[in-house]
Amino acid sequence: MHIGLLLGSLRVGGAERQFVELARGLAGRGHRVSFFTVYRGGALEADLGEIPGLEHRALHHCEGGAGWRGVVHSVRSLRSALRTTGPDVLYTALYAANLIGVLASRGTGVPVVWGVRSACETLGWKERLPLGVGRAFARGVKGLISNSRRGLADSRSWGYAAEATEVVKWAKFPPCGVRGVDGGNPDMPYLSMTLPDYIERANEETFVAIQIEQKETVDHIEAIAAVDGVDI
């Protein structure tokens, strides 16, 4: 399988280290890995260079701070790369990379999976999930990976499975969830199919994975896996 990975940069950080190790593991299992970064440079670039057979491409020539011009340039550069290299799927994470990935993928046929990290925002995860999940799929994203974390006091009392339930609820249409629909977005796409057919297909094809990042979460793995609608 050919897997594309996209991040903003390779500076030292949790997501950056995680993606480097993910690339190492995928390549070690025989997958072809294309690693894209919005900006060049970063302390972890050397680690990425140690992975045999990995293809790394920086979409912008500078090391950061290019603003919206950098985003536009990166979208064009990534779209060209996706059409040329043709990965089977593109996995992105964090702000700019998520936006660039979904914009660049349009018209290429490459499905996009977004990484949604609840530790990135100041709002509680209950407030963030409806916004992040709904926007993600309305823009044409085919899958969602959410990290589990201790959020507000009630999420602690309910256990981590509560967050898994919330992710599924906002990623699925009724009767499986409460995700809103208007049909005028790329995921339908643009009113080109009947509403019942779209809802049925979307609920079947929407991919939800809960990412385990804390040691305490291991105690709740069975409860998380038992939530209807969680694929991984």
Side-chain angles (χ1 to χ4, degrees), residues 66-203:
W68 282 107
R69 291 184 179 180
V71 171
V72 172
H73 175 87
S74 297
V75 168
R76 292 173 177 171
S77 181
L78 180 59
R79 180 177 290 129
S80 175
L82 292 178
R83 287 173 173 165
T84 302
T85 62
D88 298 304
V89 64
L90 178 67
Y91 176 33
T92 72
L94 306 182
Y95 309 109
N98 279 348
L99 177 61
I100 290 169
V102 75
L103 291 176
S105 68
R106 292 186 178 182
T108 66
V110 178
V112 177
V113 174
W114 262 15
V116 179
R117 301 176 63 84
S118 54
C120 293
E121 303 288 349
T122 56
L123 295 174
W125 59 263
K126 276 188 168 182
E127 291 79 16
R128 289 193 306 272
L129 283 173
L131 298 175
V133 174
R135 288 172 181 169
F137 288 106
R139 289 171 179 160
V141 176
K142 298 301 182 184
L144 180 75
I145 297 178
S146 175
N147 65 325
S148 291
R149 66 184 272 276
R150 290 189 190 271
L152 305 175
D154 55 358
S155 70
R156 292 193 182 98
S157 64
W158 294 336
Y160 288 92
E163 183 168 356
T165 303
E166 290 291 316
V167 171
V168 172
K169 182 174 74 174
W170 290 105
K172 303 279 189 177
F173 294 116
C176 304
V178 296
R179 176 183 166 193
V181 59
D182 62 18
N185 293 303
D187 55 333
M188 189 153 181
Y190 302 113
L191 300 172
S192 63
M193 52 192 306
T194 66
L195 190 59
D197 288 344
Y198 166 64
I199 289 176
E200 181 179 3
R201 190 184 74 172
N203 281 344

Side-chain angles (χ1 to χ4, degrees), residues 8-9 11 38-41 60-67:
S9 72
R11 297 173 182 174
V38 177
Y39 300 113
R40 66 180 178 86
H60 202 277
H61 60 81
C62 70
E63 295 186 5

